[in-house]
């Protein structure tokens, strides 16, 4: 294959792998938005907080890897539930902008706590689940087993959510999302539904943080603004999905990952900010053509 062909192939493979992290974040953003119309700016920090908790359990307390992951996910879910109870529920009658600011405040507070608790170790490295590594033919794209695990978790999570939202509990959630008053009249506890949605969103964020952390060094705000930043790409993926389609969030995350990696091609690499510029340009074109997102109008769980 030609040099450009190899570059395109590597960008495609790497973009899909990186996009799996964006897709996990986007799924959580879409879940919360569908439930309450809230743009959740704390979604990435659910993941970073879970990563820090798993790191502490694994490297400081000498827990086994499964126990450390379970603890990290539990901390992420607890943060999601606290966000719903302490911020979102009290502000349920406030404007969406007010709630948005509230979730951003939660994210900033979480970053502050991370700096406070880990100020002696500002740059950390999470051990990988597996150190396996290979090259994908015919492009020679470097792939780690850790990245494949992340992609596999995305597939399992997507299938699990699709099946869940076809179950009685999932249907109850959809009913509460569409018409809360009518749902309460038929016995659906809307408050519990809201808590479940935020717990699921936080779980997805926790998975994104814990699985992507071992791929690089990390610091406070890892998924929001650090080396693993996935908040903005996750929101872009959710926007491409019309903020309501979960399959669209997955497709959007993978698409954003690929587009971002195309900015690393040799023809563009010398252009300052090529990756971000290309991503914003594609997003702008898509929204000019379909302002509601690529997947607008499709069933959210189809």
């Amino acid at each position: 294959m030609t040099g450009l062909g190899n570059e395109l192939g590597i960008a495609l493979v790497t973009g899909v792998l990186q996009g799996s992290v964006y897709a996990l974040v986007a799924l959580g953003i879409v879940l919360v938005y569908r439930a309450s119309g809230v743009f959740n700016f704390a979604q990435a920090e659910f993941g970073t907080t879970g990563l820090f908790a798993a790191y502490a359990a694994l490297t400081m307390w000498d827990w086994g890897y499964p126990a450390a992951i379970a603890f990290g996910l539990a901390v992420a879910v607890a943060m999601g539930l606290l966000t719903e109870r302490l911020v979102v529920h009290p502000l349920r009658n406030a404007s969406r902008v007010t709630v948005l600011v509230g979730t951003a405040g939660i994210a900033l507070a979480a970053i502050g706590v991370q700096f406070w608790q880990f100020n002696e170790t500002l740059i950390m490295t999470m051990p990988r689940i597996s150190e396996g590594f290979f090259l994908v033919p015919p492009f020679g794209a470097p792939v780690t087993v850790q990245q494949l695990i992340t992609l596999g978790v995305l597939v399992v999570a997507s299938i699990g959510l699709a099946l869940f939202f076809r179950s009685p509990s999932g249907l109850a959630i959809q009913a509460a999302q569409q018409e809360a008053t009518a749902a309460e009249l038929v016995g659906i506890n809307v408050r519990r539904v809201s808590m479940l949605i935020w717990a699921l969103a936080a779980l997805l964020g926790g998975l994104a943080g814990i699985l992507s952390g071992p791929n690089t060094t990390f610091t406070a705000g890892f998924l929001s603004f650090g080396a693993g930043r996935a908040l903005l790409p996750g929101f872009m993926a959710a926007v491409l999905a019309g903020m309501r389609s979960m399959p669209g969030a997955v497709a959007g995350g993978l698409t954003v990952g690929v587009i971002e990696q195309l900015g690393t091609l040799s023809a563009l690499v010398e252009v300052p900010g090529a990756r971000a510029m290309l991503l914003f340009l594609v997003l702008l074109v898509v929204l000019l053509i379909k302002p509601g997102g690529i997947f607008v109008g499709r069933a959210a769980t189809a």
Side-chain angles (χ1 to χ4, degrees), residues 116-223:
W116 169 46
Q117 289 295 317
F118 295 88
N119 60 349
E120 294 181 0
T121 312
L122 293 179
I123 299 178
M124 288 151 280
T125 302
M126 179 82 167
R128 290 178 176 173
I129 297 174
S130 171
E131 293 295 337
F133 178 92
F134 58 94
L135 300 178
V136 176
F139 315 114
V143 175
T144 65
V145 172
Q146 181 76 32
Q147 290 173 313
L148 287 181
I149 291 173
T150 305
L151 183 59
V153 167
L154 172 63
V155 172
V156 172
S158 301
I159 295 173
L161 284 172
L163 294 176
F164 173 74
F165 277 96
R166 285 174 169 78
S167 69
S169 296
L171 293 174
I173 288 176
Q174 293 184 68
Q177 291 170 343
Q178 294 171 8
E179 184 49 66
T181 302
E184 287 182 336
L185 290 175
V186 297
I188 296 174
N189 191 319
V190 176
R191 290 187 65 180
R192 288 184 180 177
V193 166
S194 178
M195 291 181 69
L196 178 58
I197 286 294
W198 279 86
L200 287 174
L203 179 64
L204 290 165
L207 287 170
I210 292 171
L211 292 172
S212 64
N215 293 324
T216 182
T217 56
F218 64 93
T219 60
F222 171 68
L223 279 187

Side-chain angles (χ1 to χ4, degrees), residues 11-16 19 22 253-263 278:
L12 176 62
V13 173
T14 306
V16 167
Y22 300 159
L254 299 180
T255 300
V256 168
V258 171
I259 293 171
E260 191 178 52
Q261 286 302 313
L262 290 177
L278 183 62

Side-chain angles (χ1 to χ4, degrees), residues 15-60:
V16 167
L17 294 171
Q18 181 59 38
S20 62
V21 177
Y22 300 159
L24 285 170
V25 173
L27 277 172
I29 291 171
V30 168
L31 272 174
V32 168
Y33 184 83
R34 286 181 59 201
S36 57
V38 173
F39 291 96
N40 178 24
F41 272 74
Q43 181 64 30
E45 284 316 298
F46 294 159
T48 306
T49 300
L51 171 61
F52 270 80
Y55 172 83
L58 186 63
T59 64
M60 298 180 182

